[in-house]
Amino acid sequence: MREAYHEELALINEGLVDMANLVGSAMGMATTALLDADLQLAEIVISGSEKADDLQRDLENRAIAVLARQQPVATDLRVVVTSLRMTADLERCGALAQHVAKLARMRHPERAVPRDLRRTILEMGQLAQRLMAQATEVLITHDIDAALQLEKDDDRMDELHRTVFQHLMDEQWHHGVETAVDVTLVGRYYERFADHAVSVAQRVVYLVTGERAGELTASGPV
């Protein structure tokens, strides 16, 4: 019985890894769709969001079943509850990728991002995908130092987000209000996606150590 219980916990973690891979890939495709005005790719991301929703429901059902059947305590309870919270983070990431894809579809055949911001938005998209890949690796390895490093790597996303607003506030901005709204939303989508990736890593820190990420440093004892 105990072996089956731990196998169930392992399956929940595998599901989290699958979900993280899925939403990371979705954001990569959504970014390409946005910058290239690729309607077909945007539709793939939008229609594929149901798979992430299905994974979330399956993981939630598994976690609730473990709570009901096993009544875990201490560390095992922390694993189950933390996993439930991570599914919510990953679900939001999937929704944010879908928002990017929907913006690409709404502006097709035009491109939502003006030429002078394409490089910044491309870097934001690539960074968002990379942060989720790092969070996925943390889910697999439970490497606390790597988890803590993720928040530092997220600082670059904040810098890029500020760059977007600097463009919008520049007196030479000539792309109009509609494009300004589009770019503002896109920048926010990437920033929030990155925040959720960091949150996943921070939850792994808590899962492993029982301490909040803010209470630890990457160089300190774990």
Side-chain angles (χ1 to χ4, degrees), residues 179-195:
T179 300
V181 171
D182 288 347
V183 170
T184 300
L185 288 173
V186 166
R188 181 61 173 164
Y189 296 153
Y190 287 125
E191 184 206 26
R192 290 302 299 146
F193 187 98
D195 286 345

Side-chain angles (χ1 to χ4, degrees), residues 19-34 38 41-50 52-53 89-105 125 128-129 132 185-186 188-194 196:
M19 195 172 177
N21 279 324
L22 183 66
V23 299
S25 176
M27 184 55 93
M29 290 189 292
T31 300
T32 300
L34 179 72
D38 189 327
L41 196 56
E43 294 290 2
I44 289 172
V45 175
I46 294 166
S47 62
S49 65
E50 293 181 5
D53 293 340
D89 282 315
L90 294 171
E91 185 277 332
R92 286 306 306 151
C93 286
L96 290 163
Q98 187 180 39
H99 290 336
V100 173
K102 284 183 175 179
L103 181 57
R105 182 175 68 179
Q129 191 175 7
M132 185 54 71
L185 288 173
V186 166
R188 181 61 173 164
Y189 296 153
Y190 287 125
E191 184 206 26
R192 290 302 299 146
F193 187 98
H196 285 294

Side-chain angles (χ1 to χ4, degrees), residues 30-163:
T31 300
T32 300
L34 179 72
L35 295 176
D36 295 349
D38 189 327
L39 181 60
Q40 183 177 3
L41 196 56
E43 294 290 2
I44 289 172
V45 175
I46 294 166
S47 62
S49 65
E50 293 181 5
K51 187 173 181 180
D53 293 340
D54 290 342
L55 274 172
Q56 183 192 19
R57 284 191 292 270
D58 179 64
L59 288 169
E60 287 178 345
N61 289 338
R62 285 178 178 273
I64 290 169
V66 168
L67 288 171
R69 291 198 305 266
Q70 305 293 341
Q71 298 181 350
V73 295
T75 302
D76 288 344
L77 179 61
R78 193 164 70 230
V79 170
V80 176
V81 172
T82 302
S83 295
L84 280 169
R85 290 173 176 170
M86 284 193 280
T87 64
D89 282 315
L90 294 171
E91 185 277 332
R92 286 306 306 151
C93 286
L96 290 163
Q98 187 180 39
H99 290 336
V100 173
K102 284 183 175 179
L103 181 57
R105 182 175 68 179
M106 182 169 65
R107 298 304 177 208
H108 185 269
E110 301 300 323
R111 297 184 181 185
V113 179
R115 183 177 298 276
D116 51 344
L117 268 174
R118 283 175 56 82
R119 180 175 296 180
T120 301
I121 296 301
L122 174 60
E123 185 176 349
M124 292 182 85
Q126 291 174 336
L127 179 58
Q129 191 175 7
R130 186 164 67 251
L131 289 170
M132 185 54 71
Q134 291 173 235
T136 304
E137 188 65 20
V138 168
L139 279 168
I140 295 169
T141 64
H142 287 186
D143 184 328
I144 302 307
D145 286 347
L148 295 171
Q149 181 63 40
L150 206 68
E151 186 169 4
K152 296 179 181 179
D153 294 341
D154 179 49
D155 289 345
R156 178 56 182 163
M157 183 66 82
D158 295 333
E159 293 175 5
L160 292 167
H161 198 216
R162 287 192 292 271
T163 297

Side-chain angles (χ1 to χ4, degrees), residues 10-25:
L11 287 172
I12 289 173
N13 194 72
E14 288 177 13
L16 289 169
V17 170
D18 289 342
M19 195 172 177
N21 279 324
L22 183 66
V23 299
S25 176

